[in-house]
Amino acid sequence: MMYYSRLRMASVIGVCLIGLALCLPNAIRQPFPSLPWRQIHLGLDLRGGSYLLLQVDMNSVAADRLRGLQDETRQTLLHAGLGYRNLATTAHGVTFTPRTPEEGKPDLKALRAMPMNVPDEFTVSQDETGQITLALSADAARQRAYDAVTQSIEIVRRRIDATGAIDPEITRQGEDRIIVELPGISDPERVKKLLGTTAKMTFHLVADSAIGSAVPPPGVQMLPMADGQNPLPVYSHVDVDGADLTNASASIDQQSGEWAVNFTFDSTGAQEFGNVTRANVGKRFAIVLDNKVIEAPVIRTAITGGSGQITGGFSAQQATDMALLLRAGALPAPLNVIEQRSIGPSLGADSIRAGGYSLAAGFVLVIAFMALFYGRFGWYANIALVANLVLMTAILSLFEATLTLPGMAGMLLTLGMAVDANILINERIREEVARGRTALQAMQAGFERATGTIVDSNATALLAHVMLFVFGTGPVRGFALTITIGIVTTLFTTLLLSRMLMVRWYARVRPSTLPV
């Protein structure tokens, strides 16, 4: 307990020096590019930027599933050689009337055999009038809504990362909302446009026979053209889904010299794309993005390579953004911006200045208190306190953490908590001196009695803040992260560094009384 080997001393001092080296990039504007420097990122409240509160359109989620269920019902009945009348969607399901009363039981049998996305997703029943209803269950609807938000968060993250935004914060709020914080971005219009685009791409055969019809026949829908021309009738059935895309990129078409978007399918999409184009040579094939027809070229030959190109008079930025959206994937539902706030860099600078002043003031007061009440041992505690602050900054830099105002508050609180362990040790040493023990015995007993209390108290605080980090969101997580790191560094500086300083002083001086 009272002996420190040279290896142990070198290890403690080495950790402190490594921590100091990791802190340096935060104080240097342009670190040496040849070295893998890591720095602390400033959060939205310190750096300035934009705050967006998005809401997932749950009505669209339900409507999209109902349209899919309606199409699945139509395809199932047709494949089974069964007919239907008045196929339509309601608020909670799909309804239709069998072609003949005798087809009621075969209809029920075929529909109940349809695959479900989740267990017990829907029920199939027939009422007294003969109408058959496929009703979505409430549990399945809630699960689908939850999955839609989770999927939206992941897609939003991919889209924002592709714009080059540094350290965005994307979290869930409630059942249907997403918070997006963009430090350093004061004009988020492009990001809002990217997030407001569902980017759901599908491929449909064009119903040329319905062109000019006032009312499209069943299974056909009129979709507007992206260039503003007359709506085009396309079959509702999705022949190829854009979800099977694996890559998309913007390039200049060698023939026309215009910007285009090249896309590539995975094996499943390539096979479906090849089968559809092989069976429909000479027909028009519409490329639909967010319910708008981008273009509808004629299939000249079977396309089996699993790749294609979209042209439509794009600018360079439009082609780049469309390729980004297709690579990131389609949102399961539209996102609506219901709140937007911008924080200027001047407010962030004021926050940094105020936080720095509070941190410096608290640091000076703690040092003065320890020096005044505990003398030489108090100064050793102050040295450990400085090392504690350096190690906290080093760890935050190593993981490129985001520092926010709550994080700065956590650092200040850690400084106050860090001296508690030294106070316990010094008070225990005082008690042992008052009992008449020698200097060596007092230090030995003081260390032993205080260590258990220090470890227990910090362990419980560590568990509490780890749980706060796991279950918290936003600023709460930043505060908990800072405190958690501070507890670890406090244990190191108190149980190893400050004790080493005290032990080395005693071994060199061999005093008869202790300066405590």
Side-chain angles (χ1 to χ4, degrees):
M1 181 67 69
M2 298 298 296
Y3 172 74
Y4 266 68
S5 65
R6 291 186 177 181
L7 178 59
R8 192 176 182 186
M9 289 178 54
S11 300
V12 174
I13 296 173
V15 170
C16 295
L17 292 178
I18 292 174
L20 182 61
L22 291 174
C23 289
L24 288 179
N26 297 289
I28 303 175
R29 290 189 175 182
Q30 294 181 345
F32 298 104
S34 59
L35 297 177
W37 292 115
R38 293 175 179 264
Q39 295 176 306
I40 296 176
H41 298 301
L42 298 181
L44 182 67
D45 48 3
L46 297 179
R47 186 182 178 187
S50 297
Y51 168 96
L52 299 174
L53 180 60
L54 309 174
Q55 186 174 36
V56 181
D57 188 352
M58 291 303 179
N59 292 329
S60 177
V61 174
D64 184 65
R65 178 57 188 134
L66 289 175
R67 284 193 296 270
L69 186 61
Q70 182 184 26
D71 187 60
E72 292 172 13
T73 300
R74 178 186 297 109
Q75 296 298 324
T76 299
L77 294 176
L78 293 178
H79 289 164
L82 301 171
Y84 57 85
R85 291 186 293 112
N86 301 325
L87 180 63
T89 60
T90 63
H92 302 288
V94 176
T95 61
F96 72 94
T97 302
R99 186 170 50 187
T100 62
E102 291 75 17
E103 288 187 350
K105 289 184 178 181
D107 287 344
L108 293 174
K109 182 179 179 181
L111 296 176
R112 286 170 179 166
M114 283 198 312
M116 300 184 183
N117 294 332
V118 296
D120 301 323
E121 181 183 15
F122 56 84
T123 58
V124 184
S125 61
Q126 186 175 26
D127 59 18
E128 297 176 354
T129 63
Q131 186 182 63
I132 294 178
T133 301
L134 288 80
L136 292 174
S137 66
D139 291 340
R142 283 192 295 269
Q143 182 62 41
R144 190 170 184 83
Y146 180 85
D147 294 341
V149 176
T150 302
Q151 184 181 358
S152 297
I153 291 175
E154 181 59 31
I155 294 173
V156 166
R157 188 181 306 280
R158 291 203 297 263
R159 291 185 181 182
I160 292 179
D161 288 344
T163 65
I166 298 176
D167 204 32
E169 185 72 21
I170 305 169
T171 55
R172 177 196 294 262
Q173 184 187 72
E175 295 182 354
D176 61 349
R177 295 185 177 184
I178 301 172
I179 295 176
V180 178
E181 296 181 355
L182 304 171
I185 298 180
S186 58
D187 184 15
E189 290 304 319
R190 183 185 174 216
V191 175
K192 285 174 58 180
K193 184 178 179 180
L194 292 176
L195 299 183
T197 304
T198 308
K200 183 177 182 179
M201 189 171 74
T202 53
F203 297 81
H204 305 252
L205 289 171
V206 176
D208 290 319
S209 59
I211 295 178
S213 302
V215 179
V220 176
Q221 55 183 337
M222 302 295 295
L223 295 181
M225 299 290 293
D227 56 6
Q229 296 183 9
N230 294 329
L232 187 68
V234 300
Y235 289 102
S236 301
H237 176 67
V238 177
D239 292 289
V240 183
D241 195 337
D244 296 324
L245 289 175
T246 58
N247 192 24
S249 61
S251 64
I252 297 180
D253 183 34
Q254 298 298 326
Q255 297 181 355
S256 63
E258 297 181 349
W259 281 95
V261 177
N262 300 314
F263 58 88
T264 305
F265 285 106
D266 59 15
S267 58
T268 302
Q271 183 178 2
E272 293 178 352
F273 199 73
N275 293 338
V276 172
T277 54
R278 185 182 298 107
N280 296 277
V281 174
K283 297 182 181 179
R284 300 171 69 189
F285 202 31
I287 303 174
V288 180
L289 182 67
D290 291 343
N291 292 323
K292 288 185 178 180
V293 179
I294 303 297
E295 59 177 343
V298 177
I299 303 174
R300 301 299 183 185
T301 183
I303 304 175
T304 58
S307 61
Q309 186 182 77
I310 305 173
T311 58
F314 302 126
S315 64
Q317 187 66 62
Q318 289 174 334
T320 301
D321 288 348
M322 180 180 290
L324 185 156
L325 294 172
L326 295 179
R327 286 196 306 270
L331 290 168
L335 295 176
N336 302 316
V337 179
I338 61 176
E339 183 180 351
Q340 175 183 345
R341 297 200 303 266
S342 294
I343 300 176
S346 60
L347 180 59
D350 293 339
S351 300
I352 295 175
R353 191 178 302 110
Y357 288 157
S358 62
L359 192 62
F363 190 73
V364 170
L365 290 175
V366 170
I367 286 179
F369 173 85
M370 293 300 295
L372 180 63
F373 280 83
Y374 297 106
R376 177 182 291 272
F377 284 1
W379 282 109
Y380 290 156
N382 291 335
I383 294 174
L385 191 64
V386 174
N388 191 10
L389 182 60
V390 168
L391 291 176
M392 285 179 60
T393 307
I395 295 176
L396 291 173
S397 302
L398 183 63
F399 292 101
E400 295 185 320
T402 300
L403 183 63
T404 60
L405 277 176
M408 295 186 70
M411 296 181 72
L412 181 58
L413 179 59
T414 301
L415 293 180
M417 296 169 54
V419 297
D420 289 349
N422 292 99
I423 291 175
L424 284 173
I425 293 174
N426 291 331
E427 288 297 329
R428 294 294 181 269
I429 293 176
R430 278 183 175 179
E431 293 174 1
E432 297 302 325
V433 171
R435 291 178 181 178
R437 295 197 177 190
T438 64
L440 180 61
Q441 291 174 340
M443 290 183 64
Q444 178 80 19
F447 288 149
E448 291 178 352
R449 291 180 57 193
T451 299
T453 304
I454 293 171
V455 173
D456 290 345
S457 61
N458 281 277
T460 54
L462 180 65
L463 291 175
H465 286 91
V466 167
M467 292 299 101
L468 195 62
F469 177 80
V470 172
F471 296 105
T473 58
V476 175
R477 296 190 69 185
F479 176 80
L481 176 64
T482 307
I483 295 292
T484 301
I485 294 174
I487 291 173
V488 176
T489 56
T490 296
L491 289 173
F492 173 82
T493 55
T494 301
L495 299 181
L496 295 177
L497 179 60
S498 63
R499 181 176 295 185
M500 182 191 74
L501 296 173
M502 295 165 67
V503 169
R504 293 305 302 168
W505 169 81
Y506 179 84
R508 185 179 67 257
V509 178
R510 298 289 180 175
S512 58
T513 60
L514 297 176
V516 64

